[in-house]
Amino acid sequence: MKYRTIGTDPAHRREVSVLALGAMLFGSLTDEKTSFAVLDRYVEAGGNFIDTSDNYAFWTDGGQGGQSEELLGRWRRSRRVGDEIVVATKLGARPLAPGTGYTDNPEGLSAKVIREAAERSRERLGLEKLDLLYAHIDDHTVPQRETVEGFGELVAEGAVGLLGVSNQAVWRVERARALAAAAGLPGYEVLQYQHSHLRPRFDIPGEFSPDGSLSHAGAELLGYVRAEPALTLVAYTPLLAGAYVREDKPLPPDYDHPGTPARLAVLRDVAGETGATVNQVVLAWQIGGALPIVPLTGVSSVTQLEENLAAVDLELTEDQRARLDAAH
Ligand SMILES: NC(=O)c1ccc[n+]([C@@H]2O[C@H](COP(=O)([O-])OP(=O)(O)OC[C@H]3O[C@@H](n4cnc5c(N)ncnc54)[C@H](OP(=O)(O)O)[C@@H]3O)[C@@H](O)[C@H]2O)c1
């Protein structure tokens, strides 16, 4: 395994494996035995960066979520896992009632929610301190200062280490970070956005914005990470849920544009040259690039995990990387 640092404050920054593991479906669509086997193998291979959320996976049973955190809590207790494993969780997008969702009825990012939701996550996970806590979505109904101060209080109290943000417009992230800096409070340092090798269209109305997707890492987000050394990008859905290689998983509609065939062709060329799979080329391209990007993959079997783990040792040549970067 290889590692990289997230966060800047010496009291809270962590060395995390360059491949993160998504536990979104653990305890719901992925049964306990399989989930534990995947977690055990990931840790055995040196992995120590696990991702969950307080709302995972509410859509699988029409509830409010929490199954993933609860499963991780049981796994931590049964394996006597200590603070060597970084468990990142998120709040803000838990539906307030069963049968509702994060777009129509989210808990949001008020100071009260931040305090109470973080407490519930700590209970489910069996953790005194959350190593990394993200704002899962934006909340325009609450002053940003309140959100920033709410997170800052938890860090000051020692309940949270690092802060992160997901699915927010870049200008909102920068505004929150500026508010935090001006108040002497910790700001978001880990940005979690959807990012893969194929580039999506950004003009299709997104879940959180009628103006287009705010969830994908685009030019503005990538340029922000490039300019700010404090930031790390955690790239979610890097394998497009399996769509690169699986007939049963068609590419999402936002990848249906003239730039896609050229990107797919170079991925297949490099896979052929290296003897690796297309999935591994995507992950290796993210891991070894100039930007600090940590791919975050979900898996439903140990076999899939093995394939993804092997990407950590796949070294691309400068020429391969240049062709992967340039294709459009
Ligand atoms: N911040 C956010 O809003 C947000 C949103 C989505 C996800 N996430 C996080 O990101 C994690 C990963 O997201 P994701 O599950 O959407 O993305 P992903 O890693 O691109 O897709 C995971 C799925 O791809 C398939 N797969 C994985 N490895 C494979 C392999 N080697 N060969 C073939 N198929 C493979 C599996 O599908 P099958 O299960 O069908 O076999 C697996 O469940 C989640 O667990 C969650 O922690 C965050």
Side-chain angles (χ1 to χ4, degrees):
M1 186 49 72
K2 297 170 187 161
Y3 299 87
R4 72 160 72 239
T5 306
I6 54 170
T8 51
D9 181 345
H12 298 297
R13 70 181 175 218
R14 297 296 306 257
E15 293 289 302
V16 294
S17 47
V18 294
L19 184 70
L21 178 65
M24 182 168 73
L25 302 177
F26 292 180
S28 57
L29 298 186
T30 307
D31 66 34
E32 183 130 342
K33 188 164 174 255
T34 308
S35 304
F36 275 33
V38 166
L39 288 160
D40 288 346
R41 175 63 193 124
Y42 175 70
V43 169
E44 184 190 52
N48 74 340
F49 193 16
I50 298 170
D51 187 84
T52 186
S53 171
D54 69 350
N55 72 349
Y56 290 164
F58 75 86
W59 57 94
T60 62
D61 63 3
Q64 290 168 277
Q67 307 98 313
S68 169
E69 288 185 333
E70 284 166 7
L71 180 139
L72 289 173
R74 291 193 292 279
W75 173 75
R76 288 188 69 262
R77 278 192 296 280
S78 86
R79 298 334 192 221
R80 296 177 190 280
V81 171
D83 63 5
E84 68 280 9
I85 303 296
V86 175
V87 180
T89 195
K90 316 182 191 81
L91 55 73
R94 184 173 165 97
L96 285 169
T100 61
Y102 52 68
T103 46
D104 59 330
N105 196 22
E107 61 187 346
L109 298 175
S110 67
K112 183 172 185 290
V113 163
I114 290 170
R115 175 162 296 280
E116 292 177 358
E119 181 62 33
R120 296 292 90 76
S121 287
R122 284 162 59 202
E123 284 166 11
R124 284 189 288 265
L125 290 163
L127 280 166
E128 278 184 22
K129 176 183 160 195
L130 299 170
D131 297 303
L132 168 58
L133 179 63
Y134 294 93
H136 201 161
I137 56 175
D138 207 344
D139 179 357
H140 290 262
T141 71
V142 169
Q144 259 186 311
R145 182 179 299 279
E146 177 178 334
T147 300
V148 166
E149 289 174 355
F151 279 119
E153 276 176 23
L154 296 189
V155 175
E157 291 166 14
V160 173
L162 299 171
L163 298 174
V165 62
S166 189
N167 303 312
Q168 294 193 7
V170 181
W171 68 268
R172 293 280 291 178
V173 177
E174 169 52 26
R175 181 178 283 180
R177 282 172 44 78
L179 282 168
L185 294 171
Y188 304 133
E189 293 189 305
V190 183
L191 313 187
Q192 187 176 131
Y193 286 76
Q194 188 170 345
H195 183 53
S196 187
H197 182 254
L198 288 188
R199 292 181 175 134
R201 285 176 56 176
F202 284 85
D203 57 336
I204 297 178
E207 284 178 307
F208 308 114
S209 165
D211 305 313
S213 173
L214 298 176
S215 300
H216 289 288
E220 205 168 348
L221 196 282
L222 295 172
Y224 188 38
V225 173
R226 200 182 297 280
E228 297 275 324
L231 302 177
T232 303
L233 172 60
V234 169
Y236 75 73
T237 321
L239 301 181
L240 304 178
Y244 281 108
V245 293
R246 284 169 47 176
E247 299 267 321
D248 64 319
K249 298 277 187 92
L251 279 177
D254 39 357
Y255 295 91
D256 183 10
H257 63 79
T260 290
R263 297 287 269 187
L264 283 176
V266 72
L267 278 174
R268 289 180 186 133
D269 287 349
V270 174
E273 293 160 23
T274 55
T277 66
V278 165
N279 284 335
Q280 289 168 338
V281 175
V282 172
L283 298 176
W285 174 74
Q286 292 189 325
I287 290 169
L291 291 181
I293 297 179
V294 178
L296 166 58
T297 62
V299 294
S300 60
S301 70
V302 173
T303 308
Q304 290 175 353
L305 177 68
E306 295 290 1
E307 178 182 339
N308 302 351
L309 281 169
V312 172
D313 295 319
L314 174 62
E315 299 283 350
L316 302 173
T317 66
E318 266 182 48
D319 170 66
Q320 287 164 338
R321 195 164 278 290
R323 281 150 52 210
L324 285 162
D325 288 347
H328 62 274

Coordinates of all heavy atoms in Angstrom, one line a residue, residues 231-282:
L231 N -5.6 21.2 0.1 CA -6.8 20.4 -0.3 C -6.4 19.0 -0.8 O -5.4 18.9 -1.5 CB -7.6 21.2 -1.3 CG -8.1 22.5 -0.9 CD1 -8.8 23.2 -2.0 CD2 -9.0 22.4 0.3
T232 N -7.3 18.1 -0.6 CA -7.2 16.7 -1.2 C -8.6 16.5 -1.8 O -9.6 16.8 -1.2 CB -6.9 15.6 -0.1 OG1 -5.7 15.9 0.6 CG2 -6.8 14.3 -0.8
L233 N -8.6 15.9 -3.0 CA -9.8 15.5 -3.7 C -10.0 14.0 -3.4 O -9.2 13.2 -3.8 CB -9.7 15.8 -5.2 CG -10.9 15.2 -6.0 CD1 -12.2 15.8 -5.5 CD2 -10.7 15.6 -7.5
V234 N -11.1 13.6 -2.8 CA -11.5 12.2 -2.7 C -12.5 12.0 -3.9 O -13.5 12.7 -3.9 CB -12.1 11.9 -1.4 CG1 -12.8 10.5 -1.4 CG2 -11.1 11.9 -0.3
A235 N -12.2 11.1 -4.8 CA -12.9 10.9 -6.0 C -13.9 9.8 -5.9 O -13.5 8.6 -5.8 CB -12.0 10.6 -7.2
Y236 N -15.2 10.1 -5.8 CA -16.2 9.1 -5.6 C -16.7 8.6 -7.0 O -16.6 9.3 -8.0 CB -17.3 9.4 -4.7 CG -18.4 10.4 -5.1 CD1 -19.4 10.0 -5.9 CD2 -18.5 11.6 -4.5 CE1 -20.4 10.9 -6.3 CE2 -19.5 12.5 -4.8 CZ -20.5 12.1 -5.7 OH -21.5 13.0 -6.0
T237 N -17.2 7.3 -7.0 CA -17.7 6.6 -8.2 C -16.6 6.7 -9.3 O -16.9 6.9 -10.5 CB -19.0 7.2 -8.7 OG1 -19.8 7.5 -7.5 CG2 -19.8 6.2 -9.5
P238 N -15.3 6.4 -9.0 CA -14.3 6.4 -10.0 C -14.5 5.4 -11.1 O -14.0 5.5 -12.2 CB -13.0 6.2 -9.2 CG -13.4 5.5 -8.0 CD -14.8 6.0 -7.7
L239 N -15.1 4.3 -10.7 CA -15.3 3.2 -11.7 C -16.6 3.2 -12.4 O -17.0 2.3 -13.1 CB -15.1 1.8 -11.0 CG -13.7 1.6 -10.4 CD1 -13.5 0.3 -9.7 CD2 -12.6 1.9 -11.4
L240 N -17.3 4.3 -12.2 CA -18.7 4.5 -12.8 C -19.5 3.3 -12.5 O -20.2 2.7 -13.4 CB -18.6 4.8 -14.3 CG -17.7 6.0 -14.7 CD1 -17.6 6.2 -16.2 CD2 -18.2 7.3 -14.0
A241 N -19.4 2.8 -11.2 CA -20.2 1.7 -10.7 C -20.0 0.4 -11.5 O -20.8 -0.5 -11.5 CB -21.7 2.1 -10.7
G242 N -18.9 0.3 -12.3 CA -18.6 -0.9 -13.0 C -18.8 -0.7 -14.5 O -18.5 -1.6 -15.3
A243 N -19.3 0.5 -14.9 CA -19.7 0.7 -16.3 C -18.5 0.6 -17.4 O -18.8 0.3 -18.5 CB -20.4 2.0 -16.5
Y244 N -17.3 0.7 -16.9 CA -16.2 0.6 -17.9 C -16.1 -0.8 -18.5 O -15.6 -0.9 -19.6 CB -14.9 1.0 -17.2 CG -14.6 2.4 -17.0 CD1 -14.7 3.0 -15.7 CD2 -14.3 3.2 -18.1 CE1 -14.4 4.4 -15.6 CE2 -14.0 4.6 -17.9 CZ -14.1 5.1 -16.7 OH -13.8 6.5 -16.5
V245 N -16.5 -1.7 -17.7 CA -16.2 -3.1 -18.1 C -17.4 -4.0 -18.1 O -17.3 -5.2 -18.6 CB -15.1 -3.8 -17.2 CG1 -13.8 -3.1 -17.3 CG2 -15.6 -3.7 -15.7
R246 N -18.6 -3.5 -17.7 CA -19.7 -4.5 -17.5 C -20.9 -4.1 -18.4 O -21.3 -3.0 -18.4 CB -20.1 -4.5 -16.0 CG -19.1 -5.3 -15.2 CD -19.3 -5.2 -13.8 NE -20.7 -5.3 -13.3 CZ -21.0 -5.3 -12.0 NH1 -20.1 -5.2 -11.1 NH2 -22.3 -5.5 -11.7
E247 N -21.3 -5.2 -19.1 CA -22.5 -5.0 -20.0 C -23.7 -4.7 -19.2 O -24.6 -4.0 -19.7 CB -22.7 -6.3 -20.7 CG -21.6 -6.8 -21.6 CD -21.7 -6.3 -23.1 OE1 -22.8 -6.3 -23.6 OE2 -20.7 -5.9 -23.6
D248 N -23.8 -5.2 -18.0 CA -25.0 -4.9 -17.2 C -25.0 -3.5 -16.6 O -26.0 -3.2 -15.9 CB -25.1 -6.0 -16.0 CG -24.0 -5.9 -15.0 OD1 -22.8 -5.7 -15.5 OD2 -24.2 -6.0 -13.8
K249 N -24.0 -2.7 -16.8 CA -23.9 -1.4 -16.2 C -23.6 -0.4 -17.3 O -22.5 -0.1 -17.6 CB -22.8 -1.3 -15.2 CG -22.9 -2.2 -13.9 CD -23.8 -1.5 -12.9 CE -23.9 -2.3 -11.6 NZ -22.9 -1.9 -10.6
P250 N -24.7 0.1 -18.0 CA -24.5 1.1 -19.1 C -23.9 2.4 -18.5 O -24.1 2.7 -17.4 CB -25.9 1.3 -19.6 CG -26.8 0.9 -18.6 CD -26.1 -0.1 -17.7
L251 N -23.2 3.1 -19.4 CA -22.6 4.4 -19.0 C -23.8 5.3 -18.7 O -24.8 5.4 -19.5 CB -21.8 5.0 -20.1 CG -20.4 4.5 -20.3 CD1 -19.8 5.2 -21.6 CD2 -19.5 4.8 -19.1
P252 N -23.7 6.1 -17.7 CA -24.7 7.1 -17.4 C -24.9 8.1 -18.5 O -23.9 8.3 -19.3 CB -24.2 7.8 -16.1 CG -23.2 6.9 -15.5 CD -22.6 6.1 -16.6
P253 N -26.1 8.7 -18.7 CA -26.4 9.6 -19.8 C -25.4 10.8 -19.9 O -25.2 11.3 -21.0 CB -27.8 10.1 -19.6 CG -28.4 9.2 -18.5 CD -27.3 8.5 -17.8
D254 N -24.9 11.2 -18.8 CA -24.0 12.4 -18.9 C -22.7 12.1 -19.5 O -21.9 13.0 -19.8 CB -23.9 13.2 -17.5 CG -23.7 12.3 -16.3 OD1 -23.8 11.0 -16.5 OD2 -23.6 12.8 -15.2
Y255 N -22.4 10.8 -19.8 CA -21.1 10.5 -20.5 C -21.4 10.2 -22.0 O -20.5 9.8 -22.7 CB -20.5 9.3 -19.9 CG -20.0 9.6 -18.4 CD1 -20.9 9.3 -17.4 CD2 -18.8 10.2 -18.2 CE1 -20.5 9.7 -16.1 CE2 -18.4 10.5 -16.9 CZ -19.2 10.2 -15.9 OH -18.9 10.6 -14.6
D256 N -22.7 10.5 -22.4 CA -23.0 10.3 -23.8 C -22.7 11.6 -24.6 O -23.6 12.4 -24.8 CB -24.5 9.9 -23.9 CG -24.9 9.6 -25.3 OD1 -24.0 9.5 -26.2 OD2 -26.1 9.4 -25.5
H257 N -21.5 11.7 -25.0 CA -21.1 12.9 -25.8 C -19.9 12.6 -26.6 O -19.2 11.5 -26.4 CB -20.8 14.1 -24.9 CG -19.7 13.9 -23.9 ND1 -18.4 14.0 -24.2 CD2 -19.7 13.5 -22.6 CE1 -17.6 13.8 -23.2 NE2 -18.4 13.5 -22.2
P258 N -19.5 13.4 -27.6 CA -18.4 13.1 -28.5 C -17.0 12.9 -27.9 O -16.2 12.3 -28.6 CB -18.4 14.2 -29.5 CG -19.7 14.9 -29.4 CD -20.2 14.7 -27.9
G259 N -16.8 13.3 -26.7 CA -15.5 13.1 -26.1 C -15.3 11.7 -25.5 O -14.1 11.4 -25.3
T260 N -16.3 11.0 -25.3 CA -16.2 9.7 -24.6 C -15.4 8.6 -25.4 O -14.5 8.0 -24.8 CB -17.6 9.2 -24.2 OG1 -18.0 10.1 -23.1 CG2 -17.5 7.8 -23.6
P261 N -15.7 8.4 -26.7 CA -15.0 7.3 -27.4 C -13.4 7.5 -27.3 O -12.7 6.5 -27.2 CB -15.5 7.4 -28.8 CG -16.9 8.0 -28.7 CD -16.7 9.0 -27.5
A262 N -12.9 8.7 -27.5 CA -11.5 8.9 -27.4 C -10.9 8.5 -26.1 O -9.8 8.0 -26.0 CB -11.1 10.3 -27.8
R263 N -11.6 8.9 -25.0 CA -11.1 8.6 -23.7 C -11.2 7.1 -23.5 O -10.2 6.5 -22.9 CB -12.0 9.3 -22.6 CG -12.0 10.8 -22.5 CD -10.8 11.4 -22.0 NE -10.7 11.7 -20.6 CZ -9.7 12.4 -20.1 NH1 -8.7 12.9 -20.8 NH2 -9.6 12.6 -18.8
L264 N -12.2 6.4 -23.9 CA -12.3 5.0 -23.7 C -11.3 4.3 -24.5 O -10.7 3.3 -24.1 CB -13.7 4.5 -24.2 CG -14.9 4.7 -23.3 CD1 -16.2 4.3 -24.0 CD2 -14.7 4.0 -21.9
A265 N -11.0 4.8 -25.7 CA -10.0 4.1 -26.6 C -8.6 4.2 -25.9 O -7.9 3.1 -25.9 CB -9.9 4.8 -28.0
V266 N -8.2 5.3 -25.4 CA -6.9 5.4 -24.8 C -6.8 4.5 -23.5 O -5.8 3.9 -23.2 CB -6.4 6.9 -24.6 CG1 -7.2 7.5 -23.4 CG2 -4.9 6.9 -24.3
L267 N -7.9 4.5 -22.8 CA -7.9 3.6 -21.6 C -7.7 2.1 -22.0 O -6.9 1.4 -21.4 CB -9.3 3.7 -20.9 CG -9.5 4.8 -19.9 CD1 -11.0 4.8 -19.5 CD2 -8.6 4.7 -18.7
R268 N -8.3 1.7 -23.1 CA -8.2 0.3 -23.6 C -6.8 0.1 -24.1 O -6.2 -0.9 -23.9 CB -9.2 0.0 -24.6 CG -10.6 -0.1 -24.0 CD -11.7 -0.4 -25.0 NE -13.0 -0.3 -24.4 CZ -14.1 0.3 -24.8 NH1 -14.0 0.9 -26.0 NH2 -15.2 0.3 -24.1
D269 N -6.2 1.1 -24.8 CA -4.8 1.0 -25.3 C -3.9 0.8 -24.1 O -3.0 -0.1 -24.2 CB -4.4 2.3 -26.0 CG -5.1 2.4 -27.4 OD1 -5.7 1.4 -27.8 OD2 -5.0 3.5 -28.0
V270 N -4.0 1.6 -23.1 CA -3.0 1.5 -22.0 C -3.2 0.2 -21.2 O -2.3 -0.4 -20.8 CB -3.2 2.8 -21.1 CG1 -2.3 2.6 -19.8 CG2 -2.8 4.0 -21.8
A271 N -4.5 -0.2 -21.1 CA -4.7 -1.5 -20.4 C -4.0 -2.6 -21.2 O -3.4 -3.5 -20.6 CB -6.2 -1.8 -20.4
G272 N -4.1 -2.5 -22.5 CA -3.4 -3.6 -23.4 C -1.9 -3.5 -23.2 O -1.3 -4.6 -23.1
E273 N -1.4 -2.3 -23.2 CA 0.1 -2.2 -23.1 C 0.6 -2.6 -21.7 O 1.7 -3.2 -21.6 CB 0.5 -0.7 -23.2 CG 0.2 -0.1 -24.6 CD 0.1 1.4 -24.6 OE1 0.7 2.0 -23.7 OE2 -0.5 1.9 -25.5
T274 N -0.2 -2.4 -20.7 CA 0.3 -2.7 -19.3 C -0.1 -4.1 -18.8 O 0.4 -4.6 -17.8 CB -0.2 -1.7 -18.3 OG1 -1.7 -1.7 -18.4 CG2 0.3 -0.3 -18.5
G275 N -1.1 -4.7 -19.5 CA -1.6 -6.0 -19.0 C -2.6 -5.8 -17.9 O -3.0 -6.8 -17.2
A276 N -2.9 -4.5 -17.6 CA -3.8 -4.3 -16.5 C -5.3 -4.2 -17.0 O -5.5 -4.2 -18.2 CB -3.5 -2.9 -15.8
T277 N -6.2 -4.1 -16.1 CA -7.6 -3.9 -16.6 C -7.9 -2.4 -16.7 O -7.2 -1.6 -16.2 CB -8.6 -4.5 -15.6 OG1 -8.5 -3.7 -14.3 CG2 -8.3 -6.0 -15.3
V278 N -9.0 -2.1 -17.5 CA -9.4 -0.7 -17.6 C -9.6 -0.1 -16.3 O -9.2 1.1 -16.0 CB -10.6 -0.6 -18.6 CG1 -11.2 0.8 -18.5 CG2 -10.2 -0.9 -20.0
N279 N -10.3 -0.8 -15.4 CA -10.6 -0.3 -14.0 C -9.2 0.1 -13.3 O -9.1 1.2 -12.7 CB -11.3 -1.3 -13.2 CG -12.7 -1.5 -13.5 OD1 -13.4 -0.5 -14.0 ND2 -13.3 -2.6 -13.2
Q280 N -8.3 -0.7 -13.5 CA -7.0 -0.5 -12.8 C -6.3 0.7 -13.4 O -5.6 1.5 -12.7 CB -6.1 -1.7 -12.9 CG -6.6 -2.8 -12.0 CD -5.9 -4.2 -12.3 OE1 -5.3 -4.4 -13.4 NE2 -5.9 -5.1 -11.3
V281 N -6.4 0.9 -14.7 CA -5.8 2.1 -15.4 C -6.4 3.4 -14.9 O -5.8 4.3 -14.6 CB -5.9 2.0 -16.9 CG1 -5.3 3.2 -17.6 CG2 -5.1 0.7 -17.4
V282 N -7.8 3.3 -14.8 CA -8.5 4.5 -14.2 C -7.9 4.9 -12.8 O -7.6 6.0 -12.6 CB -10.0 4.3 -14.2 CG1 -10.7 5.4 -13.5 CG2 -10.6 4.1 -15.6

